[in-house]
Amino acid sequence: MAVGPGQFMLARVDDVARWAQSSSVWPLTMGLACCAIEMMTATSSEYDIARLGSEVFRSSPRQADLMIVSGRVSQKMGAVVKRLYDQMADPKWVISMGACASSGGIFDNYAVIQGIDTIIPVDVYVPGCPPTPDGLLYAVNLIQQQIREGGRGGIVASA
Amino acid sequence: MSVYAKPLSPEVVSQGDNTMVLSMGPQHPSTHGVLQIVLEIDGENVVKADPEIGYLHTGIEKTAEGLFWTQAQTVIERMDYLAPSSNALCYSLAVEKLLGITDRIPERAQIIRVMDMELTRIASHCVWLGTHGIDLGAISVFFYCFDLREHILDLQEANGGARMHPNYMRVGGCNGDLPDGYLARLDALIEKFPGRMRELRGLLQANPIFQDRTIDVGVLTPEEALQWSVTGPSLRASGVAYDVRKAYPYTGYDTYEFDVPSRTEGDAYARFLVRLDEMDQSIRIVQQARKRLDTPGPVMIDDPKVALPPKETIALSMEALIHHFKLISEGFRVPPGDVYQNVESPRGELGYYIVSDGENRPYRVRTRPPSLYNLQALKGIAPGNLIADLVVMIGSLDPVFGEVDR
Amino acid sequence: MPSTQNPPIAGAAIDPPSLRPPIDDAAIERVESAQLRERLEALRRDGYAVLLDLGAVDYLRRTPRFDVVYHLLQLAPVRAGVADVGSPARKRVLCGIESSQHLPTVMDLWKSADWAEREVYDLFGIVFDGHSDLRRIQMPRDWEGHPLRKDYPMRGPERERAPRPAFANKSNVVAGTPPAGRTLEALQEQVKRARES
């Protein structure tokens, strides 16, 4: 189909906005523990999260739309995570990567918050200890699906 | 507890004239994890740096007290998450000493342990180099390093079942022999390695910008280093060639030929060179271990009180069945006593002081974390430098916060 | 099968060094708290320039209750090659104290004792006199209790009796969304229903 001069393309603003948002999800650097290393591996050349649109990981919460909480959240860090989440501008999404961020993981003790969904709302949970980078890429795919189609919250990224 | 963290307390804020107190972290791209440094700065110069840790405190030591001896290893492996095999090895060696079975660990298990340990050292240094480069703006280094790391993680996944935290080294030996095709892949890696190292060195070693940023930055004299109890490559870059593999050999390290690289300048560039040389030495050890792996043998101690009997024997032998049952449901008991075991992790001397009271659970697992003491040295070397140098210093000390905070 | 229940506390009073011959190569000695500072200063003069580690153990049913363990290394603070370093002598000094007793700090002898003593204070409650800045290091500033003591519950004081829900029944508390175990199909169902309504 050749597009000549003087032609129009019609679409709904909503669809275009969602297409743009889902194709350029920029995560916040929220790497806490071992899962952070797998998150870094997901940005490396073998897994390449940049092809999904996450070209850069922003350090400032004001510039990020996705927070990937990767790693165990300790008592001291919980307040920091909440503060950063509040600083992120809407619309924002959260991936809880790994067992520790989703539910406290193997650490059922005084020091670890038993799941960040007790302090911030989570959109996708990724199981694993740590999940492989493929799992994280699937989670980003699910976030993109949620952005395009609507419906939020609480999906577990598993086969 | 208030919802928002208040990181700066009144005691910390100084009453100085020109200085400003700045909180760097705990969420920061260059702090290598969850570290908060409360900086007192005069323009760009750091007057005082007070690192605040504890943002990753997981209560691992307390959790280990509630798990069986073998189960405790799963939580302990997550301390130094860049080199999980070093935690596993140190813990296994310590418990084996308490059990008194150190001389009965099979030869093949020891060779596999050494090989695994050295591959982990290379993988850990890859992450160090990649993140150090990315902090300094050399982003390509990150991709080259993580690609090399992928080969090693593939081997670990084939062997232990997981890329990180395979829980492969156990008390009594290793959990299962090497799979088919493993040795061929290991040979391929050994062959590829010198080319990769040339590339990595070519990227940074003679780069004038990198040299400008790291030469004479963060100098640690031997006296200062030992006062702060710094060990590992950071100490060896200051001139003291203390390496636990040579000083107190374990798992047969005295039968391998390798050098311990050391420098005398003590700056960040020296630490960089020492770690690169260590990667070369590690592959040398892996090559020697590879030759010894051609002879087959058992990989787990043949003691049903400690290690599970082979699964096939359960249907044939009542004793095997009972031992399986007891080991899985109760774990083995370790005679009372205390032991301090040290290994050379990629960060320095990792030590465990383990106390047993005769039960099937550890009574106390105290970790001597190398990163805690290496990081503490930052208080000594940061003052007088620029904030940008602080980033170089943290990278060159190579802290892992899972270990610092436990 | 224990998972994370509170571990049973050792019934017998144990004093590890006296139970069997030493199983690692450190020279072990036990020192009274009154002589501790003097002994450590003497060791420092003797060339034990490195304080490898400073930790504590809580023997709840024993008197004295705590053991503070100092691991020292006799390494000279000069440049030395592998052959000169050799196999440095190691020492383990144990000091038994009650929870009400204080110990003198060794920050001035070895700078690395700074954070180590803060950690022992934070997790065990043992106070070191003379420390320049003895405050909590791992736990938040306003935390109550000393977690690594044997009488401190594993899950912390508030959660002690709360059962741990299976992940499938866990709900996304803050968002108010349905339990986390739902699948992609359920999401697609929800989206379809939302579009049709």
Side-chain angles (χ1 to χ4, degrees):
Chain A
M1 176 189 98
V3 181
Q7 293 192 318
F8 290 92
M9 189 157 79
L10 290 176
R12 287 188 302 180
V13 171
D14 217 21
D15 288 343
V16 174
R18 286 181 193 221
W19 167 74
Q21 276 175 341
S22 64
S23 313
S24 64
V25 182
W26 282 7
L28 175 68
T29 55
M30 192 71 219
L32 299 172
C34 344
C35 283
I37 309 297
E38 290 295 53
M39 185 172 74
M40 282 171 10
T41 312
T43 66
S44 73
S45 41
E46 178 139 350
Y47 298 95
D48 196 15
I49 205 173
R51 63 192 153 110
L52 300 179
S54 305
E55 179 63 40
V56 278
F57 275 61
R58 308 307 293 171
S59 319
S60 166
R62 305 284 190 197
Q63 299 166 359
D65 6 41
L66 174 67
M67 180 193 255
I68 306 180
V69 182
S70 49
R72 46 210 194 233
V73 183
S74 70
Q75 301 291 343
K76 261 186 181 174
M77 199 62 194
V80 177
V81 170
K82 173 93 178 90
R83 188 177 206 178
L84 287 168
Y85 178 77
D86 289 342
Q87 283 181 337
M88 281 168 75
D90 274 325
K92 51 192 173 186
W93 291 270
V94 176
I95 290 180
S96 156
M97 178 181 178
C100 293
S102 307
S103 68
I106 59 175
F107 302 110
D108 186 9
N109 57 27
Y110 64 92
V112 172
I113 290 179
Q114 301 292 297
I116 51 151
D117 59 358
T118 53
I119 47 179
I120 56 179
V122 172
D123 293 299
V124 177
Y125 299 89
V126 191
C129 190
T132 53
D134 304 307
L136 183 62
L137 295 180
Y138 181 43
V140 177
N141 278 337
L142 288 174
I143 292 276
Q144 288 178 324
Q145 192 165 14
Q146 287 190 3
I147 296 176
R148 283 193 299 265
E149 297 170 5
R152 297 199 45 169
I155 305 298
V156 178
S158 57
Chain B
M1 193 169 81
S2 66
V3 168
Y4 294 117
K6 295 186 183 64
L8 304 177
S9 67
E11 309 86 71
V12 161
V13 174
S14 113
Q15 311 300 316
D17 319 87
N18 284 328
T19 57
M20 176 174 102
V21 179
L22 180 72
S23 162
M24 184 170 157
Q27 188 256 353
H28 192 279
S30 308
T31 50
H32 283 248
V34 281
L35 168 68
Q36 180 191 31
I37 310 183
V38 180
L39 286 172
E40 208 179 295
I41 52 176
D42 174 17
E44 278 285 313
N45 295 307
V46 174
V47 173
K48 186 168 152 218
D50 185 20
E52 227 351 272
I53 59 175
Y55 287 92
L56 199 59
H57 180 62
T58 324
I60 291 182
E61 295 178 350
K62 182 132 181 135
T63 310
E65 291 171 15
L67 299 169
F68 294 148
W69 288 95
T70 323
Q71 289 176 335
Q73 194 181 313
T74 56
V75 288
I76 284 174
E77 228 182 38
R78 281 149 172 86
M79 281 200 237
D80 177 358
Y81 43 77
L82 291 182
S85 304
S86 62
N87 305 340
L89 178 61
C90 192
Y91 179 78
S92 303
L93 289 173
V95 180
E96 283 159 13
K97 271 198 178 144
L98 280 172
L99 282 168
I101 57 174
T102 313
D103 347 314
R104 287 160 46 207
I105 306 297
E107 181 70 29
R108 192 172 165 84
Q110 304 215 19
I111 301 170
I112 295 180
R113 279 178 170 182
V114 167
M115 178 192 71
D116 209 4
M117 184 66 225
E118 293 308 314
L119 285 176
T120 303
R121 193 184 309 278
I122 297 173
S124 169
H125 283 333
C126 280
V127 178
W128 158 76
L129 185 59
T131 49
H132 195 35
I134 222 175
D135 285 344
L136 268 58
I139 304 183
S140 309
V141 183
F142 176 80
F143 292 106
Y144 278 82
C145 286
F146 270 68
D147 188 63
L148 177 58
R149 187 177 143 85
E150 276 307 301
H151 295 288
I152 298 177
L153 290 183
D154 278 343
L155 286 174
Q156 289 225 320
E157 187 175 16
N159 202 5
R163 288 154 55 94
M164 293 170 71
H165 313 314
N167 213 40
Y168 176 64
M169 295 188 216
R170 304 268 176 99
V171 174
C174 297
N175 181 37
D177 206 338
L178 302 173
D180 295 330
Y182 183 93
L183 290 174
R185 288 159 83 168
L186 183 62
D187 286 330
L189 171 66
I190 293 177
E191 199 170 313
K192 221 183 302 204
F193 194 82
R196 289 303 176 96
M197 277 309 288
R198 263 197 302 275
E199 275 175 2
L200 288 179
R201 283 185 191 270
L203 282 170
L204 277 182
Q205 193 168 331
N207 185 323
I209 301 178
F210 184 76
Q211 289 182 336
D212 259 343
R213 285 206 68 176
T214 51
I215 292 185
D216 283 334
V217 168
V219 177
L220 257 182
T221 58
E223 298 78 28
E224 275 290 294
L226 291 182
Q227 268 287 298
W228 290 112
S229 188
V230 170
T231 49
S234 311
L235 179 64
R236 293 196 278 279
S238 297
V240 185
Y242 172 62
D243 185 329
V244 182
R245 294 173 293 176
K246 293 284 196 191
Y248 315 100
Y250 50 91
T251 358
Y253 265 108
D254 40 356
T255 57
Y256 295 87
E257 261 184 49
F258 63 100
D259 299 318
V260 170
S262 76
R263 304 244 146 203
T264 52
E265 302 91 29
D267 56 10
Y269 191 63
R271 296 194 271 272
F272 163 82
L273 291 175
V274 164
R275 287 197 180 95
L276 282 183
D277 290 337
E278 266 187 19
M279 286 167 82
D280 285 328
Q281 294 301 316
S282 287
I283 205 71
R284 203 174 145 194
I285 301 177
V286 171
Q287 279 169 321
Q288 293 169 49
R290 161 71 185 93
K291 288 199 200 75
R292 303 181 195 188
L293 281 174
D294 285 323
T295 46
V299 292
M300 197 67 171
I301 192 176
D302 186 21
D303 184 349
K305 297 271 181 284
V306 169
L308 293 173
K311 205 63 184 265
E312 310 84 56
T313 57
I314 291 184
L316 306 167
S317 152
M318 192 59 181
E319 287 80 19
L321 181 65
I322 295 178
H323 280 125
H324 243 267
F325 178 73
K326 295 224 66 154
L327 279 174
I328 300 274
S329 62
E330 267 181 25
F332 50 80
R333 293 197 146 67
V334 173
D338 64 342
V339 69
Y340 178 79
Q341 171 68 44
N342 50 1
V343 302
E344 182 72 23
S345 93
R347 265 137 220 105
E349 169 167 342
L350 170 68
Y352 287 124
Y353 175 64
I354 301 189
V355 177
S356 160
D357 59 342
E359 288 295 318
N360 53 357
R361 282 181 268 232
Y363 189 78
R364 171 86 171 105
V365 178
R366 158 76 198 167
T367 320
R368 189 258 169 207
S371 303
L372 179 79
Y373 294 100
N374 291 356
L375 186 64
Q376 220 188 158
L378 195 67
K379 288 194 290 187
I381 57 176
N385 288 299
L386 300 172
I387 299 182
D389 290 338
L390 197 66
V391 167
V392 172
M393 283 188 257
I394 300 176
S396 69
L397 289 173
D398 194 13
V400 169
F401 287 90
E403 196 171 55
V404 171
D405 294 335
R406 280 155 288 128
Chain C
M1 262 277 238
S3 53
T4 46
Q5 304 150 11
N6 289 325
I9 295 164
I14 56 174
D15 184 13
S18 63
L19 279 171
R20 44 193 276 184
I23 40 184
D24 56 57
D25 47 359
I28 307 176
E29 61 180 71
R30 186 168 278 284
V31 171
E32 292 298 312
S33 56
Q35 282 95 39
L36 179 69
R37 174 81 199 186
E38 210 183 291
R39 182 73 188 120
L40 289 175
E41 278 170 7
L43 286 170
R44 177 88 175 78
R45 280 192 300 272
D46 260 342
Y48 284 88
V50 185
L51 174 70
L52 272 181
D53 192 31
L54 206 180
V57 189
D58 179 5
Y59 296 109
L60 185 62
R61 301 241 174 96
R62 185 193 76 165
T63 318
R65 178 177 173 178
F66 294 105
D67 244 4
V68 180
V69 186
Y70 297 77
H71 301 261
L72 302 170
L73 188 68
Q74 194 176 37
L75 194 57
V78 290
R79 298 202 167 92
V82 175
D84 298 316
V85 164
S87 203
R90 291 194 287 157
K91 205 165 231 342
R92 191 143 85 230
V93 177
L94 296 110
C95 179
I97 54 164
E98 285 300 337
S99 42
S100 51
Q101 273 177 284
H102 295 192
L103 275 182
T105 183
V106 291
M107 242 179 96
D108 48 335
L109 299 177
W110 297 282
K111 289 187 194 160
S112 53
D114 186 353
W115 280 2
E117 287 177 353
R118 272 178 67 187
E119 187 174 325
V120 170
Y121 165 69
D122 184 9
L123 299 175
F124 286 92
I126 297 173
V127 175
F128 290 89
D129 290 326
H131 194 283
S132 61
D133 185 21
L134 196 69
R135 56 190 161 98
R136 287 193 182 265
I137 190 171
Q138 307 279 18
M139 303 310 294
R141 202 172 295 132
D142 49 2
W143 194 263
E144 277 173 21
H146 300 283
L148 249 62
R149 290 192 170 190
K150 287 284 181 179
D151 49 2
Y152 191 89
M154 177 75 79
R155 289 190 180 142
E158 304 100 48
R159 281 204 320 127
E160 194 183 353
R161 284 180 195 84
R164 191 177 183 196
F167 191 73
N169 298 325
K170 192 175 190 299
S171 60
N172 198 335
V173 173
V174 176
T177 50
R182 66 182 183 156
T183 57
L184 196 53
E185 286 76 26
L187 170 70
Q188 287 164 341
E189 273 298 307
Q190 181 203 10
V191 171
K192 209 161 61 164
R193 262 181 275 122
R195 286 222 177 108
E196 283 155 9
S197 62

